[in-house]
Amino acid sequence: MNIAILLAGGSGSRLGGGKPKQFIEVCGKPILEYTLDAFESCPLIDEVCIVSRSDCIPLVEQLVAKRGEGKVGAILSGGKERYHSSLAALERYTCDEDNLLFHDAVRPMVTHRIIADCLKALDTFEAVGVAVPTTDTILEVDDRSCIVSVPPRRMLRNAQTPQGFKRRVIRRAYDLALRDPSFTTTDDCGVVLRYLPEVPIHVVEGEKTNIKVTYAEDLLLLEQLVSRQ
């Protein structure tokens, strides 16, 4: 099966306001609903799983119930860290041959092209990321904030989601990670890269419009993108 895992456990602290950012309405709809639309309307996706903060699960259930019959097969409680949400999905889906696409729930403008390219890449690779070429010069600095290197821009990418994996690969990577007392992570590709370095992670071309809503100005940009549809 091709399963989309929507990671909706964020608090939106950097955005401000009184509610988690995935429930903020843009042009009359919560951000999470736009993201759900993108995956449910993609014919290649068999099932959608939403992983949320435990206190927000009733809000997710209301949103899903309002939409009627769809592809949501599970609504799960995540944890304090992002990887706890990934682990919750790995406990729910146990078939090692499943393709799992982990996606930020507040990245609502993901396209069917990106989704399809990720799934196609999983025919050949066991781990897939999405990224766009960086347009800025990136500086590496030391603890004193002094430049130590300027990596060539042609080799650098800005990461997006979804990140896709054969279930057996991401499960094995986390099994190894959880035995490491110094384990920290911000994304699932990073877990595979660190603990299964022999597994190539193929990069699919993303899109500039595949934005993640983090700051207030991102909401303004999202409104513009939605209005153009």
Side-chain angles (χ1 to χ4, degrees), residues 169-228:
V169 166
I170 190 63
R171 177 73 263 184
R172 175 62 176 157
Y174 270 114
D175 286 344
L176 294 171
L178 294 174
R179 299 175 197 168
D180 180 359
S182 63
F183 168 59
T184 59
T185 186
T186 57
D187 73 299
D188 300 297
C189 280
V191 179
V192 173
L193 181 65
R194 180 172 180 181
Y195 295 98
L196 294 177
E198 71 280 7
V199 174
I201 305 172
H202 181 70
V203 176
V204 164
E205 187 78 14
E207 296 179 11
K208 291 181 180 179
T209 53
N210 185 26
I211 63 168
K212 181 179 180 181
V213 176
T214 304
Y215 301 106
E217 53 265 34
D218 298 325
L219 285 174
L220 297 176
L221 177 55
L222 179 57
E223 288 179 3
Q224 294 173 4
L225 293 172
V226 170
S227 298
R228 294 175 191 168

Side-chain angles (χ1 to χ4, degrees), residues 2 7 13 15 41 54 56 64 78 116 143 152 164 170 216 219 224:
N2 296 326
L7 304 175
S13 57
L15 190 64
S41 64
S54 58
C56 290
V64 172
D143 292 339
I170 190 63
L219 285 174
Q224 294 173 4

Side-chain angles (χ1 to χ4, degrees), residues 37-215:
D37 284 342
F39 284 93
E40 283 200 324
S41 64
C42 179
L44 299 176
I45 294 297
D46 299 304
E47 187 167 317
V48 177
C49 169
I50 303 173
V51 189
S52 173
R53 286 169 32 179
S54 58
D55 61 322
C56 290
I57 284 181
L59 289 174
V60 177
E61 290 175 338
Q62 291 171 19
L63 186 153
V64 172
K66 180 191 70 173
R67 293 168 58 87
E69 185 175 352
K71 294 182 180 180
V72 176
I75 299 171
L76 308 177
S77 176
K80 181 179 178 181
E81 304 294 338
R82 185 185 188 278
Y83 74 88
H84 291 140
S85 294
S86 297
L87 288 171
L90 290 173
E91 292 299 319
R92 171 64 173 79
Y93 297 99
T94 58
C95 177
D96 279 345
E97 296 307 308
D98 281 346
N99 293 323
L100 304 182
L101 297 185
F102 294 86
H103 186 71
D104 301 319
V106 289
R107 205 179 282 273
M109 302 305 290
V110 62
T111 63
H112 288 185
R113 195 276 301 165
I114 292 176
I115 296 169
D117 284 358
C118 286
L119 293 172
K120 182 178 180 180
L122 286 172
D123 290 337
T124 304
F125 298 92
E126 295 178 311
V128 176
V130 174
V132 292
T134 185
T135 56
D136 295 320
T137 297
I138 305 297
L139 306 178
E140 182 183 1
V141 301
D142 60 17
D143 292 339
R144 300 177 301 155
S145 293
C146 294
I147 296 173
V148 295
S149 72
V150 183
R153 197 163 51 185
R154 63 184 176 83
M155 303 299 293
L156 300 176
R157 300 291 185 273
N158 292 331
Q160 300 182 343
T161 62
Q163 295 181 343
F165 310 90
K166 292 294 182 184
R167 191 265 181 193
R168 62 178 180 271
V169 166
I170 190 63
R171 177 73 263 184
R172 175 62 176 157
Y174 270 114
D175 286 344
L176 294 171
L178 294 174
R179 299 175 197 168
D180 180 359
S182 63
F183 168 59
T184 59
T185 186
T186 57
D187 73 299
D188 300 297
C189 280
V191 179
V192 173
L193 181 65
R194 180 172 180 181
Y195 295 98
L196 294 177
E198 71 280 7
V199 174
I201 305 172
H202 181 70
V203 176
V204 164
E205 187 78 14
E207 296 179 11
K208 291 181 180 179
T209 53
N210 185 26
I211 63 168
K212 181 179 180 181
V213 176
T214 304
Y215 301 106

